Amino acid sequence: MGLACLLCITLPLLMIALSDTKSTWRHITCDAGSFPPGQPAAVTCNLHTPVSALKRTVSVVRYRSNAPTLDIEGSGGATTTMIHLQTGTGEQSHVSVLIIGIILIVVAVVVLAATGVHYFRKKSSAKQKMKKKEKRDEHTDAVSMLQQIPTRNEHEQVLGEGEALIQQECDGPNEKEILKGFEMNNEACQEVMSLLQREIEANVGKDASATIKMFSTLVKDLPRGEENGQFMVVNLGSRSLRILFVRIEGPQIETHDSKTYTIPPDVRLGTCVQLLNFLENRLSMFVTSKQLTDKETSVGVVFSFPCKYAEEGDLTTARPKKWTKGFNCDKVVGKDFGKLLHEKLKNKLTTCKLTIKVIINDAAGLLIAGIHKDKACRISFVIGKGVNGCYMKDNGSDGTVQGHGDEKTIIATEWGALGENECLEKFRTDFDRTAVNFSMSPKEQILEKMVGRLYIGEIVRQVLLLLTKESHLFKPFYSELPALNEKRGFTTENVLIIDSDMDQEYLTTRDLLQHLEFDNISDEDCKLVKFVCRIVLQRAAFFAAAALATLVKHVQQSHVTVAIDGSLWRSHLRFKQQMMAKTKELVGPDFDVTFLSIIDGSEIGAALTTAL
């Protein structure tokens, strides 16, 4: 195609150049009379320009039929000369060449433009198809991929990559000292497991000394794969409100018509009235756009914050116990949030009857979705902006959840709160302590702030800032760059991109740093930045693995399925692999763990609970 376009441009340009080639000309006027173009003719011309007397045969090169002017080649010989003319071939021939050349250029330009448009459309379409394929592949293959527990050699290889980082990638002794606090060996993981297990046992025994307040969700039944119906689900998350429909047809579940609304800071940090007004406004917009007027719709609400039910077994009476993940709405904690929301919708949405059937924690909803897919599912684990884990309190002797029709209790462990009694201070670094200063509650959710996606980028920024100040990185010091000097200037998304850079020349890392306005980036800079991102993520994966291994050992089943979801888990393969491998290593050979990845698991669980 490129060669054809080159010819289309070169050929007409060459023809035009030839059409402008000059010979030696004399301009004469003669009484030529009329004669047919293209035919030989004898004409006596009166030459007004003095020329040498010469009788010769010439060819007319440019002939104007409307004027008695002929341009002849060569020099003449007398004032009056009898010449033989070959008329009609000169000017018309060259004009034709010129016109054809121009036409070809126009055609070439059109072809090139069309080709360019087609190329970019094709490239854009290919990117879109690739994204869709990746999402589809992740959705389709997630379960089968994650159920493959690494063999001993495989998980040793995955863990070995992380444990060799300091020796292989961090060369300077000062750099090693700065980053030493992020190392997590098995002894440290076992200590975290012991601390969390003690908290679980204290809650089970209703010991007042427990520092983590774990909450129970009592469900009257569990999904059997026979549920049917379509339900609206409202997910109140850390930074966004998501509304969607979940259609259930027995074992088949489909989510559709999803709409996400960003929750502005003045709502997240405002009052109860502002939050309820926001929810009512967005629900009204969604109802109108989906033409749900005069329809009765059952609603399940995913509430991704610690909450306790005012009445045991009534899943509409959720009362928030505290805010996490950047929320701090006034006059909500301790209130019957379900009742407040129901009254708000009842008074405002007069054209559509929305009935709130369930308000459920995101991890509890994920566990319900896991049981729908696999009756051996006993644990759910959420790894996203925040973290949490649930386990089913009662179980059958064979490891499957039993007793359809009997009430079952789901325990939300709230393991992200571990460390609020300062039991994790030996594992925290100065970077961790500085990174949480922007938090509304810097002394709460300590482990979550070392693992959750909401904080990883800020921890890495603090490390890079110190390394730069001490001249280990980015020389000279970039004192004005937001990426280093502003809160959240270096995001967790940046960390994940850099850690995924597999190129030996650090092309992706270099491009990202240049986008953040760093100049003259050396290979050593890229290497060190990548190392910082990797070791912070590895520590988070190991902490998460320690928490999960604690739950696996607590339920005491030789084979247990873990339903797992969350933006950090879904978006980063290395984190996923390291967490799986370390969990396998920590639980030992006596426990067989199956990882069941469920996209939209919390929303599906809320819909299933509404259907029960």
Side-chain angles (χ1 to χ4, degrees):
M1 182 180 68
L3 180 60
C5 292
L6 181 63
L7 290 175
C8 288
I9 292 291
T10 306
L11 183 59
L13 290 176
L14 180 61
M15 295 177 70
I16 291 175
L18 291 175
S19 70
D20 288 338
T21 303
K22 302 292 184 181
S23 298
T24 303
W25 299 101
R26 289 287 188 264
H27 298 280
I28 64 173
T29 300
C30 64
D31 298 326
S34 61
F35 44 88
Q39 299 296 326
V43 180
T44 301
C45 296
N46 298 316
L47 305 179
H48 298 285
T49 301
V51 294
S52 301
L54 180 66
K55 179 185 287 188
R56 60 176 298 169
T57 299
V58 298
S59 296
V60 175
V61 179
R62 285 186 289 275
Y63 167 67
R64 300 173 182 83
S65 60
N66 296 327
T69 302
L70 302 175
D71 296 328
I72 64 173
E73 184 179 12
S75 56
T79 302
T80 300
T81 304
M82 180 68 68
I83 60 174
H84 294 281
L85 302 174
Q86 183 69 28
T87 63
T89 59
E91 181 181 11
Q92 292 176 351
S93 176
H94 282 263
V95 170
S96 299
V97 171
L98 181 63
I99 292 174
I100 292 172
I102 293 174
I103 291 174
L104 286 175
I105 286 182
V106 172
V107 171
V109 171
V110 172
V111 169
L112 284 175
T115 303
V117 170
H118 176 72
Y119 172 76
F120 286 112
R121 283 182 177 176
K122 185 176 180 181
K123 188 174 182 180
S124 176
S125 176
K127 286 184 178 180
Q128 292 177 358
K129 288 181 179 179
M130 181 62 70
K131 289 181 179 179
K132 289 181 180 179
K133 182 179 184 300
E134 289 174 353
K135 186 174 182 179
R136 185 169 60 251
D137 289 346
E138 179 181 0
H139 184 81
T140 303
D141 299 336
V143 174
S144 60
M145 179 186 72
L146 294 176
Q147 286 179 342
Q148 297 174 4
I149 301 299
T151 64
R152 180 176 180 82
N153 290 337
E154 288 172 338
H155 84 246
E156 285 181 354
Q157 180 180 356
V158 172
L159 297 176
E161 291 179 0
E163 294 170 351
L165 283 174
I166 289 183
Q167 290 74 17
Q168 294 181 359
E169 298 193 31
C170 189
D171 300 328
N174 293 331
E175 298 163 11
K176 288 183 179 181
E177 187 63 29
I178 290 172
L179 298 168
K180 187 176 181 180
F182 289 101
E183 294 183 78
M184 278 287 291
N185 55 28
N186 277 356
E187 182 180 352
C189 290
Q190 294 287 354
E191 186 170 348
V192 172
M193 291 174 65
S194 297
L195 292 170
L196 182 57
Q197 180 60 31
R198 186 170 63 191
E199 292 293 326
I200 293 175
E201 291 174 353
N203 274 270
V204 171
K206 301 186 183 301
D207 188 341
S209 65
T211 57
I212 299 178
K213 302 303 179 184
M214 301 182 182
F215 302 101
S216 61
T217 301
L218 187 66
V219 292
K220 296 180 179 180
D221 203 349
L222 296 172
R224 312 183 188 191
E226 301 172 357
E227 295 73 29
N228 286 279
Q230 177 169 277
F231 308 93
M232 181 189 293
V233 176
V234 179
N235 189 340
L236 183 62
S238 61
R239 289 292 187 271
S240 61
L241 173 72
R242 188 183 182 208
I243 307 174
L244 69 159
F245 283 107
V246 179
R247 182 181 294 112
I248 305 173
E249 296 179 358
Q252 302 300 320
I253 297 180
E254 178 187 69
T255 60
H256 61 96
D257 290 341
S258 173
K259 181 67 176 178
T260 301
Y261 305 94
T262 300
I263 305 175
D266 62 329
V267 173
R268 289 187 283 108
L269 305 177
T271 65
C272 177
V273 173
Q274 287 176 292
L275 178 60
L276 291 173
N277 285 341
F278 174 81
L279 293 173
E280 179 272 322
N281 177 265
R282 299 306 185 270
L283 277 166
S284 179
M285 293 170 57
F286 185 82
V287 165
T288 301
S289 67
K290 303 305 177 185
Q291 299 179 344
L292 297 177
T293 55
D294 301 323
K295 292 183 180 180
E296 294 188 6
T297 304
S298 297
V299 181
V301 178
V302 178
F303 194 75
S304 303
F305 306 94
C307 61
K308 185 176 182 179
Y309 295 100
E311 297 181 24
E312 194 72 19
D314 185 353
L315 298 184
T316 66
T317 62
R319 296 192 176 195
K321 303 305 293 181
K322 67 177 180 179
W323 287 113
T324 60
K325 298 186 277 291
F327 262 76
N328 193 24
C329 288
D330 190 29
K331 298 181 180 180
V332 176
V333 172
K335 305 293 183 181
D336 188 336
F337 187 72
K339 182 178 179 181
L340 292 173
L341 182 57
H342 176 77
E343 291 298 323
K344 183 71 172 180
L345 298 180
K346 179 181 178 181
N347 294 333
K348 294 295 184 179
L349 294 182
T350 58
T351 60
C352 176
K353 186 177 180 182
L354 299 182
T355 303
I356 298 174
K357 296 288 189 179
V358 167
I359 298 179
I360 193 169
N361 181 269
D362 56 344
L366 178 59
L367 181 53
I368 294 294
I371 294 171
H372 179 266
K373 283 183 171 290
D374 185 347
K375 294 300 184 290
C377 185
R378 296 292 317 285
I379 297 171
S380 65
F381 216 63
V382 176
I383 302 291
K385 288 184 171 66
V387 300
N388 200 1
C390 285
Y391 69 90
M392 183 65 66
K393 186 176 181 180
D394 297 322
N395 61 281
S397 58
D398 62 350
T400 61
V401 179
Q402 301 292 328
H404 291 301
D406 299 329
E407 293 181 339
K408 295 295 177 181
T409 302
I410 298 173
I411 304 296
T413 62
E414 303 295 339
W415 63 265
L418 186 68
E420 291 183 1
N421 61 349
E422 300 186 353
C423 65
L424 293 179
E425 288 306 299
K426 65 182 294 184
F427 302 108
R428 298 180 76 198
T429 66
D430 290 338
F431 307 113
D432 296 302
R433 298 181 180 93
T434 305
V436 301
N437 285 340
F438 71 90
S439 170
M440 299 298 298
S441 52
K443 295 183 178 180
E444 296 181 358
Q445 301 296 111
I446 299 301
L447 187 52
E448 178 176 274
K449 290 169 181 173
M450 301 167 74
V451 177
R453 184 169 181 157
L454 195 59
Y455 301 94
I456 286 175
E458 185 63 15
I459 295 171
V460 169
R461 184 183 73 85
Q462 294 293 336
V463 177
L464 298 181
L465 183 60
L466 180 61
L467 289 172
T468 303
K469 286 181 176 179
E470 297 195 359
S471 299
H472 299 294
L473 188 64
F474 301 135
K475 304 171 185 178
F477 173 50
Y478 290 90
S479 59
E480 303 298 326
L481 289 185
L484 283 180
N485 293 277
E486 292 185 5
K487 291 179 181 179
R488 297 179 180 173
F490 201 88
T491 66
T492 301
E493 284 68 28
N494 297 150
V495 176
L496 300 180
I497 290 171
I498 290 174
D499 186 56
S500 300
D501 185 5
M502 305 304 292
D503 190 275
Q504 294 182 350
E505 297 181 358
Y506 307 104
L507 295 179
T508 301
T509 300
R510 196 183 307 275
D511 287 345
L512 178 58
L513 293 175
Q514 288 175 346
H515 178 73
L516 295 174
E517 301 183 29
F518 292 95
D519 296 321
N520 301 319
I521 305 165
S522 68
D523 285 349
E524 291 302 314
D525 288 336
C526 294
K527 180 180 179 181
L528 185 52
V529 170
K530 184 176 178 180
F531 166 67
V532 172
C533 294
R534 182 160 294 181
I535 198 170
V536 172
L537 279 172
Q538 176 188 275
R539 185 189 66 163
F542 285 7
F543 269 132
L548 179 54
T550 305
L551 298 187
V552 171
K553 287 192 171 185
H554 179 74
V555 299
Q556 285 295 310
Q557 295 296 322
S558 58
H559 171 72
V560 62
T561 296
V562 178
I564 191 163
D565 196 17
S567 59
L568 185 55
W569 169 264
R570 289 194 307 266
S571 63
H572 197 58
L573 181 60
R574 182 185 295 277
F575 180 93
K576 187 184 303 183
Q577 290 174 332
Q578 289 184 330
M579 180 180 157
M580 289 172 62
K582 180 58 74 172
T583 300
K584 179 67 174 178
E585 184 177 39
L586 292 174
V587 300
D590 294 335
F591 297 92
D592 181 19
V593 183
T594 297
F595 291 84
L596 181 63
S597 183
I598 306 179
I599 298 174
D600 297 333
S602 299
E603 291 91 342
I604 291 172
L608 283 166
T609 308
T610 303
L612 293 173

